[in-house]
Amino acid sequence: MKPKKYSILLLILCITALSTAQLRAQTSTETGEISGKVLDESQKAFPYATVSLLNAKDSTAVKGTLSQDNGNYLFKDIKNGNYLIGIYVVGYKKTFKGPFIISAEKKSHSTGSVQLLPDAKLLKGVEIVKQKPLIERQVDKTVLNIENSALAAGNNALDILQKSPGVTVDKDGKISLRGKQGVTVMLDWKPTYLSQEQLANMLRSTEGNAIQSIELITNPSAKYDAAGNSGIINIKLKKNRNFGTNGSVFGGVGMGNYYKVNSGLTLNHREKKFNIYGNFDYSRGKRYHGTDIMRVNNTATDKTYFNQTGNTISSRNSSNYKGGIDYFINDNNTLGFAFNGYNSNGNSSAKVLTLIGAQPSVTDSSVVADNPSTFKYTGMAYNLNYKGTLDTLGQEISVDADIAQYNGMEKNDFNNVYRNAAWQPSKAPYIFRNTTPTKVKIYSGKIDYTYPINKDTKLDLGAKSSFVKTDNSFLFENFINNTWANDATRSNQFLYDENINAAYANLKKKFKTTTVQLGLRAEQTNSKGNSVTDQKVVNRHYFDLFPSLFVNQELSKDHEIGFSYSRRIDRPDYSNLNPFVSYLDLYSYRYGNPFLKPQYTNAFEVSYSYKKTLNVSFGYSHTSDVMSEVLLTDTAKKTIFISTQNLATQDSYNMNVSYPVEITKWWNTNNNLTVYYNKFKTPNLAGQPYQSGKTALNLNTNQTFIISPSTNIEWSGYYQSKQVYGTLLIAAQYGVDLGLSKSFMDKKLSFKLAANDIFKLQKSQITSALPSQNYVVNERWESRVFRITCTYRFGSSSIKGARERSGGSESESRRVKSGG
């Protein structure tokens, strides 16, 4: 879609918004509204109370909602009639208000502040603690409320994702959801535009104490970017919601093989017309990582055995920050500005010993390597946004403009000393180094419009355009005659430009017991990959439609079934398109593929819910041109290399069962089981047809013990069975975590103790699913870490503060590198 046509589309959307606003004004006189506020026994706001709108005649339910964080609730689009308001929370007496008559004479009513009183018959001496459960199952997503979890203390975002139901994180930080890679990860509903490797590094720099919740969506609607074949993971960062000046400060220490420290500060100031907020987090520490590779290089005439042992110790300093201001023009219009950034730098020292022989366990020669490296990554993003409420019935329009820039620099030295069987030098050392500067610029804008046609029907429209420019250089130098000399045959510059234009429409209709949502998203992509040194240019222009359908049927009060379908796309990471050869050591390297094609997925899911607690789903998806990492050996060079290639197809089948159980008043458990089968097929890989498939399962369990209103104990465990992904056969992985939280001073001061992988069980083993490839890769890391974190909250504690805001540049940022 050309820019001129895209501008016309934006104009049409704006005209639609204004014209439907007039239509809505004409029909709004036929409905009314009822509002109020829920208080607890201490006259404080009661969030998440169940509020029902009932027919006064027979007390049948018309609609329901939950009270907000400040206790307020609001029912809109109420037809003329006689109604009651019912408010209910477990452990409190059910309260009714009314009747309220909606008529032409009076269309707006308020219950005022309604105080709930404890129900002595239900309490039986147990104090009710108003806290969200750790894991919530909602109609379209699973939510992990980790804000108050002891297991989040001192951990980073990647550690926490590993504990999430249905989520697996591999040795390189790549994230899978229900057995499938290709997850879109967002921060506050903002795509990050980072590659998988870069995203993992950014998540390692994001402190768990800064996270409020994590949302898992396996089948997103047309409103979201079409990227991500296995769904969306949204990480919501904490935001202060109170008037006045308030904030929190925390500090923590940890010890595994090496020390770790982290700290942070959050501040918020809100008045009637504006809200200013900001936070800063810092972490520092060392970590250990070990890699052993045993492989056999087969040729027509002989075999060579390699036994490689590597140990790496790395240090990292990371800081991330966020700030912004919201200006409330009036009750219906808000203008906001926000920024966020990060800095990550450090170094590592890798010691690698490679034993080489013509027979197993017999060493003919060896290579001793000392490979130091340094890295530095910075990123900065700015967002300007506007939100307007066009009427009292839910008609809204919002606009976002985003600019982001990411810079990176890696320097890797490789010092290789050759020795013979007698451990004497056999030839001159081979010394070389790589320098890889990276620069990424992102520009994006989007507009979203919501039009409630009536109380049961809602239409969402929107458009988005993004532009990404990347500049990657690769300098390969050899150390010859005490001088560094550029190797022009291995150095290169790679430029990549991408423009995506999108528009969507989403229509949701609620019938008596059935809800139907139809969506259609259109995306037009223009990309250009330019390998400057090799003089290779790859231009691509393609247009795609991404339909979606969601149906939810209430069979009875306790039983619901659902069906969903969506088509999605995954475009190659910027780094995977880069044709550079990046060395891990003398005999191991990876290289990019500038001819990678995007993969397309059609996903279907059927779900069942019993009392909104027991949830069962069955899913199937078919992916064409599936992108998968392939680990192969080069028998001529006697090396092993990694690249990303397009296989022909992937068929995925999964069943997911989740069931939270309240065993006693003080013991809650939440369990999630995912069973899946991934089948890969391609007509030619390493010179022969290839097909693989294996049934696997992922089990997550979390146990919470409420010792007192101020003391919780948590333990969680996970088990990931042996699985096949692409050409990789991955051994089983498992671990157990333990946490304790204790609060003081009316929960203003809290301490959290946590132990990750307390039994030191986590490790990784990878072999090849290709019969012609003979290798075993074993990895271990500093998984067992003990941490203690202290948090102090100060300032006022009333009424919501900072707005949550989703800009337009997240899916592009997800594909940029952000850490070492």
Side-chain angles (χ1 to χ4, degrees):
M1 188 180 293
K2 295 181 178 179
K4 183 177 180 181
K5 292 182 179 180
Y6 192 67
S7 300
I8 293 173
L9 177 60
L10 293 176
L11 180 61
I12 292 173
L13 289 170
C14 293
I15 294 174
T16 303
L18 295 175
S19 60
T20 50
Q22 183 177 3
L23 175 63
R24 192 68 183 132
Q26 293 173 353
T27 59
S28 62
T29 57
E30 301 174 0
T31 60
E33 62 182 39
I34 300 176
S35 62
K37 183 171 185 175
V38 184
L39 303 177
D40 63 13
E41 67 273 25
S42 303
Q43 294 288 334
K44 295 181 179 179
F46 204 135
Y48 316 115
T50 302
V51 186
S52 302
L53 179 69
L54 311 171
N55 281 315
K57 181 179 179 180
D58 54 9
S59 296
T60 58
V62 177
K63 61 173 70 176
T65 187
L66 297 176
S67 60
Q68 302 298 312
D69 292 334
N70 55 12
N72 290 342
Y73 64 87
L74 173 64
F75 290 106
K76 300 178 180 179
D77 302 323
I78 306 174
K79 294 181 179 180
N80 290 348
N82 200 357
Y83 299 94
L84 297 173
I85 294 294
I87 305 174
Y88 178 68
V89 176
V90 175
Y92 289 79
K93 295 180 180 179
K94 194 167 186 177
T95 303
F96 295 93
K97 291 292 180 179
F100 303 100
I101 300 174
I102 302 294
S103 64
E105 288 75 25
K106 188 169 184 180
K107 295 188 169 297
S108 180
H109 294 270
S110 174
T111 63
S113 295
V114 181
Q115 183 180 10
L116 300 185
L117 299 176
D119 190 331
K121 294 180 180 179
L122 293 177
L123 289 175
K124 295 181 180 180
V126 178
E127 182 175 349
I128 299 296
V129 181
K130 298 190 295 297
Q131 181 173 311
K132 290 184 180 181
L134 178 63
I135 300 177
E136 283 185 290
R137 310 291 173 177
Q138 300 183 8
V139 174
D140 59 343
K141 59 189 173 184
T142 300
V143 181
L144 282 76
N145 298 300
I146 66 169
E147 182 175 11
N148 297 311
S149 172
L151 297 178
N155 288 314
N156 59 49
L158 199 63
D159 295 329
I160 296 169
L161 281 176
Q162 177 69 70
K163 311 174 195 299
S164 304
V167 177
T168 55
V169 180
D170 74 5
K171 63 184 181 62
D172 297 318
K174 295 184 179 65
I175 301 167
S176 299
L177 182 59
R178 295 190 181 178
K180 293 194 300 178
Q181 294 184 7
V183 183
T184 294
V185 177
M186 295 184 170
L187 294 178
D188 290 331
W189 290 115
K190 298 177 183 294
T192 57
Y193 299 102
L194 301 173
S195 71
Q196 289 184 331
E197 179 187 359
Q198 298 152 355
L199 174 65
N201 287 318
M202 188 191 71
L203 294 177
R204 290 189 184 103
S205 301
T206 302
E207 288 297 314
N209 293 282
I211 299 174
Q212 176 180 319
S213 63
I214 295 175
E215 300 172 324
L216 311 176
I217 305 174
T218 55
N219 233 355
S221 72
K223 182 176 182 179
Y224 304 106
D225 288 352
N229 83 86
S230 61
I232 291 174
I233 296 178
N234 179 47
I235 300 175
K236 294 178 67 176
L237 301 178
K238 291 180 181 178
K239 296 180 178 64
N240 202 289
R241 302 169 177 271
N242 302 323
F243 265 111
T245 301
N246 41 71
S248 63
V249 60
F250 78 88
V253 295
M255 178 58 72
N257 292 32
Y258 301 96
Y259 76 95
K260 299 96 174 49
V261 296
N262 63 317
S263 59
L265 173 67
T266 300
L267 290 172
N268 187 88
H269 179 78
R270 176 166 180 175
E271 297 186 5
K272 183 177 181 181
K273 296 296 290 184
F274 67 88
N275 182 67
I276 301 175
Y277 56 92
N279 66 272
F280 178 84
D281 296 299
Y282 173 78
S283 63
R284 179 180 180 180
K286 285 185 175 183
R287 59 177 177 173
Y288 164 80
H289 192 100
T291 303
D292 299 336
I293 302 175
M294 292 179 289
R295 62 186 177 90
V296 181
N297 191 81
N298 293 301
T299 67
T301 58
D302 62 7
K303 292 183 178 181
T304 306
Y305 295 84
F306 290 81
N307 189 347
Q308 179 177 301
T309 302
N311 295 287
T312 303
I313 299 173
S314 58
S315 298
R316 174 193 295 269
N317 295 288
S318 298
S319 60
N320 55 78
Y321 45 90
K322 180 177 182 177
I325 181 170
D326 295 323
Y327 175 64
F328 307 101
I329 303 170
N330 51 43
D331 291 340
N332 297 322
N333 296 276
T334 303
L335 185 65
F337 171 76
F339 66 90
N340 65 80
Y342 66 88
N343 292 276
S344 181
N345 64 81
N347 59 78
S348 66
S349 176
K351 309 291 186 181
V352 183
L353 173 63
T354 304
L355 305 178
I356 306 169
Q359 299 179 22
S361 303
V362 177
T363 301
D364 301 326
S365 63
S366 60
V367 179
V368 182
D370 183 1
N371 303 334
S373 64
T374 62
F375 67 87
K376 182 178 182 180
Y377 285 91
T378 61
M380 195 71 190
Y382 303 91
N383 168 260
L384 182 65
N385 59 79
Y386 164 78
K387 181 178 180 180
T389 303
L390 305 181
D391 57 25
T392 61
L393 301 172
Q395 190 175 185
E396 294 181 348
I397 188 169
S398 64
V399 181
D400 283 90
D402 292 84
I403 298 176
Q405 179 166 324
Y406 302 90
N407 298 302
M409 174 66 74
E410 281 190 7
K411 295 181 179 181
N412 301 280
D413 289 14
F414 301 88
N415 304 289
N416 301 283
V417 176
Y418 298 92
R419 297 187 179 276
N420 57 25
W423 201 249
Q424 298 299 315
S426 59
K427 59 180 177 179
Y430 178 34
I431 302 174
F432 63 94
R433 69 183 183 186
N434 298 333
T435 304
T436 54
T438 303
K439 181 179 292 185
V440 181
K441 292 184 178 180
I442 300 169
Y443 307 89
S444 73
K446 70 169 186 171
I447 180 172
D448 297 287
Y449 168 68
T450 299
Y451 171 54
I453 299 172
N454 54 48
K455 72 180 185 69
D456 296 320
T457 309
K458 183 178 74 170
L459 175 66
D460 290 312
L461 300 171
K464 176 184 174 182
S465 186
S466 64
F467 299 85
V468 178
K469 291 182 175 293
T470 71
D471 184 346
N472 301 270
S473 295
F474 185 83
L475 180 63
F476 188 103
E477 296 175 292
N478 292 306
F479 192 68
I480 303 174
N481 297 324
N482 295 320
T483 303
W484 288 107
N486 179 40
D487 187 339
T489 63
R490 298 185 179 184
S491 299
N492 195 5
Q493 182 183 18
F494 180 69
L495 305 176
Y496 182 78
D497 297 338
E498 183 183 81
N499 164 229
I500 301 175
N501 302 307
Y504 74 87
N506 214 52
L507 180 66
K508 185 176 182 180
K509 170 71 175 178
K510 182 173 177 56
F511 300 93
K512 186 175 181 181
T513 59
T514 306
T515 301
V516 179
Q517 180 174 292
L518 294 168
L520 181 64
R521 186 178 184 92
E523 292 191 354
Q524 190 257 346
T525 305
N526 309 290
S527 66
K528 179 182 178 181
N530 181 9
S531 183
V532 178
T533 307
D534 296 339
Q535 296 183 348
K536 294 179 181 179
V537 177
V538 179
N539 284 296
R540 284 204 174 104
H541 306 278
Y542 48 96
F543 176 83
D544 296 293
L545 294 175
F546 301 96
S548 60
L549 169 66
F550 300 85
V551 180
N552 194 74
Q553 176 68 48
E554 297 179 9
L555 302 177
S556 65
K557 178 182 177 182
D558 296 332
H559 302 273
E560 291 184 14
I561 58 173
F563 170 80
S564 65
Y565 161 77
S566 67
R567 182 174 188 257
R568 305 192 65 75
I569 185 176
D570 282 285
R571 299 175 181 87
D573 288 343
Y574 310 136
S575 60
N576 286 338
L577 293 168
N578 193 331
F580 300 163
V581 175
S582 176
Y583 282 85
L584 307 176
D585 56 64
L586 184 62
Y587 293 102
S588 310
Y589 62 91
R590 67 169 63 238
Y591 67 88
N593 180 1
F595 302 103
L596 271 179
K597 297 181 291 184
Q599 64 180 30
Y600 294 89
T601 300
N602 288 282
F604 305 82
E605 185 173 279
V606 177
S607 60
Y608 166 76
S609 176
Y610 174 66
K611 290 188 175 181
K612 297 187 183 299
T613 53
L614 173 62
N615 296 276
V616 182
S617 67
F618 298 89
Y620 166 74
S621 67
H622 175 80
T623 303
S624 58
D625 290 323
V626 59
M627 293 180 292
S628 177
E629 276 198 344
V630 177
L631 183 60
L632 301 173
T633 56
D634 185 330
T635 56
K637 297 179 180 179
K638 297 186 178 182
T639 57
I640 187 169
F641 64 89
I642 303 172
S643 69
T644 300
Q645 299 184 20
N646 288 113
L647 306 184
T649 60
Q650 176 189 358
D651 290 286
S652 296
Y653 307 82
N654 72 77
M655 179 190 72
N656 189 81
V657 181
S658 63
Y659 192 34
V661 180
E662 184 179 7
I663 299 176
T664 68
K665 291 292 185 181
W666 50 269
W667 181 6
N668 293 290
T669 178
N670 205 307
N671 307 285
N672 189 92
L673 172 66
T674 302
V675 180
Y676 57 90
Y677 177 82
N678 290 326
K679 179 181 179 181
F680 295 87
K681 188 176 182 180
T682 190
N684 184 19
L685 182 64
Q688 59 185 351
Y690 173 72
Q691 180 174 314
S692 69
K694 184 176 182 61
T695 301
L697 66 89
N698 175 273
L699 175 65
N700 293 80
T701 183
N702 182 273
Q703 315 290 323
T704 302
F705 303 92
I706 304 173
I707 306 303
S708 72
S710 62
T711 307
N712 282 2
I713 294 177
E714 297 178 40
W715 78 263
S716 69
Y718 82 95
Y719 174 78
Q720 172 64 60
S721 72
K722 190 175 184 179
Q723 61 175 321
V724 171
Y725 202 90
T727 65
L728 305 179
L729 184 59
I730 306 170
Q733 298 183 42
Y734 35 84
V736 176
D737 301 332
L738 184 66
L740 168 69
S741 62
K742 174 69 176 179
S743 61
F744 304 89
M745 301 169 59
D746 196 23
K747 297 187 177 182
K748 288 185 177 182
L749 178 66
S750 63
F751 288 89
K752 297 177 181 178
L753 301 175
N756 287 22
D757 191 22
I758 191 168
F759 300 116
K760 205 173 183 179
L761 301 172
Q762 294 180 15
K763 59 183 179 180
S764 170
Q765 184 181 86
I766 295 176
T767 56
S768 179
L770 287 167
S772 62
Q773 306 295 309
N774 188 348
Y775 60 78
V776 179
V777 181
N778 289 291
E779 296 198 67
R780 59 208 178 278
W781 54 92
E782 192 178 347
S783 59
R784 182 165 62 184
V785 179
F786 298 90
R787 304 177 188 271
I788 181 171
T789 303
C790 175
T791 303
Y792 178 70
R793 298 173 178 84
F794 55 88
S796 60
S797 57
S798 63
I799 309 181
K800 186 181 294 186
R803 293 186 303 145
E804 294 179 359
R805 192 66 195 169
S806 167
S809 67
E810 290 125 5
S811 64
E812 288 77 18
S813 295
R814 183 172 61 90
R815 296 153 66 197
V816 181
K817 193 161 190 176
S818 64

